[in-house]
């Protein structure tokens, strides 16, 4: 599986509002209520257009042996580093359907190995959106040494014939997150696959990029 990895920083935004309860005799102006403002959308990743032009990797011999039908390309190749309490870092990931048939209900999951942070909870927050400017959604990060593609899988969508799907991951570390380093793996998997049937699990694909949690120097 070929993986290229451009990271950029992008803060998340949220908004809330409240509804006032006017007292008797208040003026019409004072009794007006206001709807909560719409949550601000994050801007598209500045590297999105260039990333979309990157060619899709071909299946490797190992991919074919594993029965994979999806290859993955990501941006940046050297990986990303997050700092405890720092700004989130983002990564663009493109899924490529290598077949001449549509692949149905392809969901995504994210996983790091148990020893990513010395067997301590990595305290990473992961979100995902459809690129370039979809809404951010929380991702359940799987922390395990064994291959668990269905755990936490979400966002199932069809992948057209020879089609692509580009998603963006946003990763941040809590203020008390321990130092850690390892691979951040993304699994593409049929949402209705039987986790006990390895033949049924075939048809997706897996890829990733190096991820590091490190204090600021």
């Amino acid at each position: 599986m070929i993986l290229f990895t451009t990271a950029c920083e992008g803060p998340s935004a949220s908004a809330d509002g409240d509804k006032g309860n006017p007292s008797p005799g208040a003026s019409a102006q004072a009794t007006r209520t206001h709807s909560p403002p719409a949550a601000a959308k994050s801007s598209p990743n500045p590297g999105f257009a260039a990333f979309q032009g990157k060619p899709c990797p071909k299946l490797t011999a190992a991919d074919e042996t594993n029965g994979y039908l999806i290859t993955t390309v990501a941006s940046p190749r050297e990986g990303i580093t997050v700092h405890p309490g720092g700004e989130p870092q983002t990564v663009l990931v493109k899924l490529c359907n290598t077949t001449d048939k549509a692949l149905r209900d392809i969901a995504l999951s994210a996983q790091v190995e148990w020893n990513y942070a010395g067997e301590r909870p990595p305290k990473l927050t992961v979100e995902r959106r459809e690129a370039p400017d979809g809404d951010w959604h929380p991702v359940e990060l799987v922390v395990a040494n064994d291959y668990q593609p269905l755990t936490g899988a979400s966002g199932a969508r069809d992948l057209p014939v020879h089609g692509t799907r580009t998603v963006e991951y946003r990763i941040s570390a809590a203020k008390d997150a321990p130092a850690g380093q390892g691979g951040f793996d993304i699994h593409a998997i049929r949402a209705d696959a039987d986790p006990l049937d390895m033949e049924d699990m075939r048809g997706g694909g897996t890829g990733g990029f190096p991820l590091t949690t490190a204090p600021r120097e």
Side-chain angles (χ1 to χ4, degrees):
M1 183 102 16
I2 300 176
L3 237 331
F4 300 94
T5 62
T6 38
C8 69
E9 297 184 354
S12 60
S14 62
D16 55 24
D18 42 81
K19 206 171 188 179
N21 293 316
S23 58
S27 66
Q29 179 69 25
T31 58
R32 289 177 185 169
T33 58
H34 300 277
S35 300
K41 271 184 173 288
S42 297
S43 299
N45 188 301
F48 176 76
F51 177 73
Q52 281 293 86
K54 288 183 179 292
C56 284
K58 296 181 179 179
L59 289 174
T60 65
D63 294 334
E64 294 176 352
T65 298
N66 289 326
Y68 291 156
L69 304 176
I70 296 171
T71 57
T72 307
V73 59
S75 181
R77 182 173 186 174
E78 71 277 8
I80 62 171
T81 298
V82 292
H83 302 292
E87 292 291 325
Q89 298 290 312
T90 63
V91 177
L92 290 166
V93 178
K94 179 162 60 178
L95 283 68
C96 305
N97 181 353
T98 66
T99 75
D100 57 2
K101 64 179 181 180
L103 302 178
R104 305 296 182 188
D105 293 326
I106 299 299
L108 299 172
S109 65
Q111 182 171 342
V112 295
E113 289 192 352
W114 179 251
N115 61 358
Y116 173 87
E119 299 187 0
R120 290 172 291 173
K123 296 190 176 182
L124 298 171
T125 297
V126 182
E127 299 168 283
R128 184 185 66 234
R129 70 172 175 176
E130 299 296 319
D133 58 358
D135 294 326
W136 291 104
H137 298 282
V139 170
E140 178 187 344
L141 180 63
V142 181
V143 183
N145 284 338
D146 54 332
Y147 178 62
Q148 295 188 20
L150 280 177
T151 304
S154 62
R157 293 192 175 203
D158 295 344
L159 197 56
V161 174
H162 295 297
T164 64
R165 174 187 177 188
T166 301
V167 298
E168 186 171 10
Y169 282 84
R170 183 165 66 179
I171 306 170
S172 59
K175 289 183 178 180
D176 58 346
Q181 187 173 22
F184 183 95
D185 293 323
I186 297 168
H187 305 302
I189 191 71
R190 277 185 34 226
D192 62 349
D194 181 351
L196 300 179
D197 185 343
M198 290 310 297
E199 287 299 318
D200 199 26
M201 292 278 282
R202 289 171 179 257
T206 188
F209 50 87
L211 175 65
T212 300
T213 301
R216 295 188 182 276
E217 296 181 355

